[in-house]
Amino acid sequence: MVRLAGVDLPANKRVDVALTYIFGIGDSLSQKILTKAQIEPHRKVKDLNDQETLAIREVIKDYQVEGDLRKDITSSIKRLIDIGAYRGTRHRKGLPCRGQRTKTNARTLRGKRKTVGLGKKKEEEKKE
Amino acid sequence: MGRSIKKGPHIDEKLLRKVQKMEISKEKKVIKTWARNCTIIPEFVGFTFAVHNGVKHIPVYVSENMVGHKLGEFSHTRVFRGHSSPTDKSTTLT
């Protein structure tokens, strides 16, 4: 079992794929890390020896991953909200902040579809 | 896509001149401006700008955190007052 940056790596996967299980490491960064650590990407995690995991750990130290990265992201969003920028208000409302349309789509940020308007009609009927 | 580094940040020249004048005379007045696309540079920190939003000028106090943003980002152009309540016509099922 290999633990890197607070995440257990899947033992039966290739190293380059396993590294992407860490938040902040994608395909390309994983390749970069492995070339720096001088480990072939096709090898499995379970076949790595201690020295090699140590080499990977040393390289990862130079990058921001997991908790640090998450903290960084939330703090920069908080900054946008605090200074009252347009992007901040979009973040606060949970809407896209890069000028995308919101008449349709934008489902990733807006979440699951909610129908607006029908609930109010029932209340009006009750009054009558 | 970002702006070319060669050109540097876009700064409204008239606005910059006004700020420099105020810095020399040590007075603090609200500067009315229409230059929403002007980047906020460190010299602007501590001043208040009245940034036009298409209708009126919104006062924007520039703090240190705002450096690098544009003035227009702090003067919202749209007001969202919620969706209209459903009318009989819109809720009838056909």
Side-chain angles (χ1 to χ4, degrees):
Chain A
M1 178 83 70
V2 180
R3 257 185 100 80
L4 279 175
V7 177
D8 290 322
L9 295 190
N12 292 321
K13 296 236 182 226
R14 291 160 55 114
V15 195
D16 57 345
V17 176
L19 280 180
T20 63
Y21 279 62
I22 301 169
F23 182 80
I25 297 181
D27 286 330
S28 63
L29 185 55
S30 139
Q31 298 290 344
K32 232 187 244 170
I33 288 166
L34 289 175
T35 36
K36 259 194 201 167
Q38 293 182 330
I39 294 165
E40 287 111 48
H42 59 76
R43 294 183 47 200
K44 296 281 162 74
V45 173
K46 57 184 172 186
D47 302 332
L48 292 179
N49 59 36
D50 285 351
Q51 220 179 345
E52 283 161 336
T53 52
L54 202 72
I56 294 177
R57 197 161 286 157
E58 280 301 310
V59 180
I60 286 182
K61 254 182 208 163
D62 302 338
Y63 298 102
Q64 217 178 16
V65 290
E66 281 294 328
D68 287 346
L69 183 56
R70 285 209 178 89
K71 238 179 271 165
D72 208 45
I73 292 169
T74 42
S75 75
S76 34
I77 290 175
K78 200 179 166 301
R79 198 193 105 240
L80 288 174
I81 292 172
D82 287 345
I83 62 179
Y86 176 71
R87 277 175 64 200
T89 53
R90 297 301 279 181
H91 272 296
R92 203 171 49 215
K93 288 177 186 165
L95 290 167
C97 55
R98 293 188 179 178
Q100 296 100 317
R101 64 150 45 198
T102 51
K103 182 174 182 174
T104 63
N105 298 339
R107 271 351 304 187
T108 310
L109 269 165
R110 287 169 63 203
K112 260 201 128 182
R113 260 160 244 266
K114 290 179 284 213
T115 318
V116 185
L118 279 175
K120 276 184 183 168
K121 200 198 164 192
K122 270 183 190 167
E123 283 173 13
E124 277 166 24
E125 277 172 352
K126 271 180 198 166
K127 275 179 208 163
E128 282 166 10
Chain B
M1 197 163 69
R3 189 179 153 91
S4 144
I5 295 166
K6 183 186 82 181
K7 296 183 199 171
H10 170 74
I11 298 147
D12 193 67
E13 284 170 31
K14 270 189 178 170
L15 195 61
L16 183 62
R17 245 183 284 147
K18 273 186 184 167
V19 169
Q20 283 165 343
K21 219 185 254 171
M22 287 225 302
E23 236 158 36
I24 294 165
S25 62
K26 289 271 186 281
E27 57 179 335
K28 293 230 165 161
K29 266 190 303 190
V30 177
I31 307 174
K32 251 190 194 183
T33 181
W34 280 257
R36 296 172 55 82
N37 59 356
C38 177
T39 311
I40 294 170
I41 51 170
E43 279 90 332
F44 289 1
V45 173
F47 289 98
T48 306
F49 297 91
V51 184
H52 197 60
N53 75 346
V55 180
K56 56 178 184 181
H57 294 270
I58 308 283
V60 174
Y61 176 76
V62 176
S63 69
E64 225 167 275
N65 279 332
M66 297 182 182
V67 172
H69 290 265
K70 302 281 170 90
L71 282 176
E73 287 182 56
F74 305 101
S75 166
H76 295 194
T77 57
R78 284 158 206 229
V79 189
F80 178 68
R81 290 228 172 82
H83 292 292
S84 58
S85 54
T87 58
D88 285 346
K89 203 179 158 195
S90 67
T91 50
T92 44
L93 299 168
T94 46

